[in-house]
């Protein structure tokens, strides 16, 4: 559990550095871990694209397979652009477990991301350090469709 806390705190720090820079999208942090070490990390970029998971998975490459992703906000289940969602990207990368701090109320997530991950056999844990991560999203007003 101690390592989980450390990795999620790193994801929160990555997101915190982007608060106010991601336009309509929330600032999200993602850390990908394999064999107990960080193999990729990222945050939602300026203007809201790419998403944190995309950045972290690109950095991790094949090392993500069988690993764990720590994400501050539930991965999207659909994209307004029609591009592959973050939950689809996590499944395609072969991560075995996704640890999420906060649920996302957006219609593009709202349980869809977690459902897709679980449906693909990925273990999903929700709520780790949610009290610390929640402050990142106090001003976030998601689109509803």
């Amino acid at each position: 559990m101690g390592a989980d806390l450390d990795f999620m705190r790193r994801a929160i720090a990555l997101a915190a550095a982007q608060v106010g820079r991601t336009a309509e999208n929330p600032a999200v942090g993602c850390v990908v871990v394999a064999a107990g070490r960080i193999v990729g990390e990222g945050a939602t970029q300026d203007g809201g694209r790419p998403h944190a998971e995309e950045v972290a998975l690109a950095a991790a490459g094949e090392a993500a397979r069988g690993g764990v992703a720590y994400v501050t906000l539930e991965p999207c289940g659909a994209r307004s652009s029609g591009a592959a969602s973050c939950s689809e990207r996590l499944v395609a990368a072969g991560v075995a477990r996704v640890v999420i701090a906060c649920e996302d109320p957006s219609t593009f997530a709202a349980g869809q991301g977690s459902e897709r991950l679980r449906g693909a056999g990925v273990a999903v844990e929700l709520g780790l350090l949610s009290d610390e991560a929640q402050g990142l999203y106090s001003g976030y007003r998601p689109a509803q469709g």
Side-chain angles (χ1 to χ4, degrees):
M1 183 63 159
D4 282 346
L5 294 172
D6 291 342
F7 293 132
M8 185 60 80
R9 283 196 175 101
R10 176 64 185 150
I12 291 169
L14 291 166
Q18 285 297 98
V19 170
R21 301 173 61 139
T22 58
E24 303 281 318
N25 288 340
V28 176
C30 179
V31 173
V32 179
V33 174
R37 67 179 184 85
I38 295 173
V39 294
E41 63 180 26
T44 305
Q45 296 298 288
D46 292 359
R49 296 276 193 276
H51 289 183
E53 297 91 335
E54 292 175 82
V55 176
L57 289 170
E62 280 299 310
R65 191 158 305 282
V68 181
Y70 296 84
V71 189
T72 58
L73 194 68
E74 180 183 5
C76 61
R79 295 282 285 270
S80 58
S81 67
S85 69
C86 291
S87 57
E88 289 171 314
R89 291 169 190 269
L90 288 162
V91 168
V95 299
R97 179 172 158 236
V98 177
V99 181
I100 303 164
C102 300
E103 291 180 285
D104 187 343
S106 164
T107 56
F108 296 107
Q112 293 177 49
S114 295
E115 286 175 26
R116 174 172 282 115
L117 292 165
R118 285 186 184 107
V122 177
V124 176
E125 297 170 31
L126 180 63
L128 182 67
L129 296 180
S130 63
D131 54 336
E132 291 182 31
Q134 199 61 50
L136 297 167
Y137 308 112
S138 60
Y140 171 49
R141 302 289 175 261
Q144 295 301 316

